[in-house]
Amino acid sequence: YQALREASVYFSTELRGPLGKPAIAYLKNRGFDGETALKFKVGFAPEKWEGLLAFLKKKGISADTAEKAGLAVKREKSTGHYDRVRGRVIFPIEDVKGRIIGFGGRSLDDKDQPKYLNSPESVVFKKGETLYGLPQAKESIRKEDSVIVVEGYFDLLALHRHGFTNSVATMGTALTPEHVRALKAYAATIYCLFDSDEAGKNAAIRGLNLFLNEEMPCRAV
């Protein structure tokens, strides 16, 4: 948890530093402001192979710990580690208690594939159990007694920016029974707001059995 928390500080600082200018321009181009970025602790991983590792080392956090937290990768042909994510806008992923458990990274250029890169599963991060934005949304979800579920980071940020603060997102995975049970604790109804393409429609249809099994009212938008 300490390694992930310190990593978030690093990414946030880099976004607001000289190397973060392309990322800020990218975020502005997508319609986002500083207030939204602060609310969700959005950051930036610069194109440095060991920038985060050097930062963590100063904080007394070893490369092995960084690797276990999903922040670093062990080199195959030599000793040492390198930063897992570089040149991406960073979205810290928090658990329901607000502790950072992982990160999502979006490339600034669509030519850089994959467009989205999530932290690997770890002792603290289980993608099939985690919903992005739940800590920021839970009070609003309780108040509205309903929750809007979308598929991605930017969709989620856009909804919050426009006042739909009872929104959460899956992270490149289909809805799971664990997701539905987590939301059931806060809301009476789920609204699935997936992409209107075939993949989005299929994801909404696949989710129907989950809601039926959990006896959870659901609407597809």
Side-chain angles (χ1 to χ4, degrees):
Y1 286 117
Q2 185 192 351
L4 291 157
R5 189 171 64 246
E6 294 293 358
S8 182
V9 171
Y10 169 78
F11 294 135
S12 183
T13 305
E14 289 293 338
L15 177 66
R16 287 154 185 83
L19 295 177
K21 287 178 182 175
I24 287 175
Y26 176 81
L27 288 166
K28 284 182 177 175
N29 189 49
R30 302 244 354 205
F32 295 103
D33 52 23
E35 190 180 336
T36 310
L38 276 173
K39 181 180 178 183
F40 288 91
K41 302 185 180 84
V42 176
F44 177 61
E47 286 283 3
K48 294 179 183 176
W49 283 94
E50 295 178 24
L52 174 58
L53 280 165
F55 179 85
L56 293 176
K57 189 177 180 182
K58 286 178 188 171
K59 302 288 181 181
I61 296 164
S62 70
D64 285 338
T65 301
E67 183 188 353
K68 284 174 188 167
L71 299 167
V73 179
K74 193 173 277 189
R75 295 183 185 276
E76 288 183 11
K77 295 181 180 177
S78 60
T79 56
H81 295 73
Y82 60 89
D83 294 355
R84 177 178 288 278
V85 182
R86 301 172 304 284
R88 290 173 180 266
V89 172
I90 298 293
F91 303 95
I93 300 158
E94 298 173 332
D95 65 11
V96 74
K97 295 178 182 175
R99 298 175 297 189
I100 293 171
I101 54 175
F103 295 94
R106 171 59 159 93
S107 60
L108 300 183
D109 188 333
D110 285 356
K111 291 175 189 169
D112 295 334
Q113 294 293 325
K115 278 197 293 189
Y116 288 95
L117 189 65
N118 287 318
S119 290
E121 301 248 327
S122 72
V123 271
V124 296
F125 181 46
K126 304 285 185 285
K127 202 159 38 170
E129 299 173 11
T130 307
L131 288 155
Y132 178 64
L134 185 54
Q136 292 88 346
K138 61 184 180 181
E139 293 311 317
S140 181
I141 293 169
R142 280 196 183 108
K143 187 178 170 186
E144 299 288 336
D145 205 20
S146 65
V147 57
I148 302 167
V149 182
V150 293
E151 289 186 294
Y153 303 105
F154 278 113
D155 289 351
L156 185 277
L157 263 61
L159 282 169
H160 275 257
R161 183 168 165 260
H162 290 286
F164 296 93
T165 52
N166 59 325
S167 307
V168 297
T170 59
M171 291 164 292
T173 62
L175 271 169
T176 66
E178 289 76 20
H179 286 147
V180 178
R181 284 176 205 135
L183 294 173
K184 201 175 175 182
Y186 298 96
T189 304
I190 294 177
Y191 292 93
C192 284
L193 180 56
F194 292 163
D195 291 346
S196 56
D197 58 15
E198 284 305 309
K201 288 176 189 172
N202 290 336
I205 291 165
R206 274 198 309 273
L208 287 176
N209 276 339
L210 295 180
F211 301 116
L212 290 169
N213 291 341
E214 294 298 325
E215 298 180 351
M216 179 80 182
C218 172
R219 300 286 183 272
V221 181

